[in-house]
Amino acid sequence: MIKPLARLLALISIGFTISANAEKFEKDWHTYSNYTDVVSTHVVLDLDINFETKQLKGSIEHHLEYKHKGVQTLILDTRDLDIHKVEAFRAGVWSDTSFKLAERDDVKGSKLTIVLPRMTKRVKVHYNSRPEASGLQWLSPVQTAGKKLPFMFSQSQAIHARSWLPIQDTPAMRVSYEAKIHTAKNLRPIMSAKNDPKWNENGDYYFEMPQPIPTYLIAIAAGNIHYKKMSKQTAIYSEPELLDAAAAEFEDTQAMIDATEKMYGKYRWTDYDLLILPPSFPFGGMENPRLSFITPTVIAGDKSLVSLIAHELAHSWSGNLVTNATWRDLWLNEGFTSYVENRIMEEVFGKDRAVMEQALAYQGLKEELVDLPKADTILHVVIEGRDPDDAFSGVPYTKGQLFLMFLEERFGRDVFDSFLKQYFDDHAFGSIDTRSFTKYIKTNLIDKHSGKVSMAEVKEWITEPMLPANSPRPTSDVFTKVKTHMSSWLSNDTKLSKVPTKNWTVHEWLFFINNLPKDISLKRLNQLDTQFNLTQSTNNEIAHAWLLLNIKRNNPVINTRLADYMITIGRRKLIVPLYKALLETESKRSFTQEIYNKARPGYHPLAQGTIDALFVAKK
Ligand SMILES: [Zn+2]
């Protein structure tokens, strides 16, 4: 139920303008919705979570705002939904209105066209999602940490919200929401909204997200989810088995918020909680507002992988507050976020660590650029006709970050920081596309401080493939030392036992493993393993780098550990490169297939899709 006055006040206090000039943006190719005619500004969900049938079932009510007169239809995005009926609210009553669900398109799903009687202000769609919904994963008890109860969660980015919500699924528009969610009494739902830490005995929950967000940030999860407060603004939600470890690992989250506020202005989402998911979560994290979804693979015991939290938190400014208007503009989300993430890491963990993380990311990008089609190395990438998930390479992230580092270098940190803070303020609770950004940076940075950077340089960064010649090339002094020790061992000048690894951080280990010669002998690999027990490393990033190298060198010693790793982890970044490397060698195909047969049922539909495609490509 909506409280009109409270909602109105909330909207005034956060000071946003509804549907900030959608017309000025490039058309979002990935939506069918007619958001330039009529905008759904608020939705009310009423959904049952059914673990038996793996379905969400109920209704979504849209509150509409018309952009001009004479609009007769509302067009929503859907994918694999069963639509039961649609009602319109007129003269105080709900009555049926007609609708048409179009044929399914492989990328965009099915267009749902609803007839609007006399510009009605409210429309309600009764529907259910299907078990195969691309944006939902249903886990059986054995796939959870506790092994006793099932778990489900959503992943709506990029265009998967439509697989569980009939909605205008475009990041050009924003919507606030409230939700009544019903579930079994022994399972607790949670959403990217205000969450009450209390467990409800009757299984009925109410959520409210008063701030308008793009639809890809609407999120839900349910399971044996418990709560532990960490600080005034932060808490962990997770299965009880992971609660303490997660709270210890991520105890610096409040310090990260404080550091970011100092640089870029107020955190505008009240609380910042973390939901720790089971290991099959296909991503590192998902920046769902107020409640980031986090992979448990970063709980390393030594905070070595917490840059992921800095990243998801940074999205509270870049992405969630200022959003890419279309999926072509993803770099405006991820490039800015990668840059802000690294600045947070520098503030909280010091310069050495921040620079090591830059250097590792830069090295990773350079390797990726070799394999990517040239057109996909452009920041303002063309993705018409393709699934926007294809745009998620290192390009929007690390190339975007390098562009911002380049600007920081040229203008100086003070000037660039105040530009960025102003940018977040000027576009808060709105969307922006690459064209509008180019205009904005020209007026507010380039022209204001003339002689530092030309618009030709800006355009080269944004519209040309690969890295410009003037790109920053982050290098770390700490890594230079690691390299010296490595060379000395490889040329037999130093014994392995004399390499001073005792105080190496995870970053130094990653650099070391990633920079070993591509043709390193099995003898040397096994020597390293005997000395440092790398195959059994409990750090998932180190294990990943080590396993990958050994696959490439055909070292069978790792096979048992490799199978175990790939079956228990579903995070795409960690497993997809392993499958790719395995499938490079024809003789390993049946071994790989055997692992995949066991692992696949535990993977998210997105991970399954990516890996299925690898097997087909290598046939
Ligand atoms: Zn991100």
Side-chain angles (χ1 to χ4, degrees), residues 157 285-287 311-312 315 318 333-334 337-338 341 392 397:
Q157 195 181 29
M286 179 61 212
E287 64 270 22
H311 182 93
E312 304 314 329
H315 272 303
S318 47
N333 268 16
E334 296 300 352
T337 295
S338 300
E341 163 203 329
F392 281 80
Y397 290 77

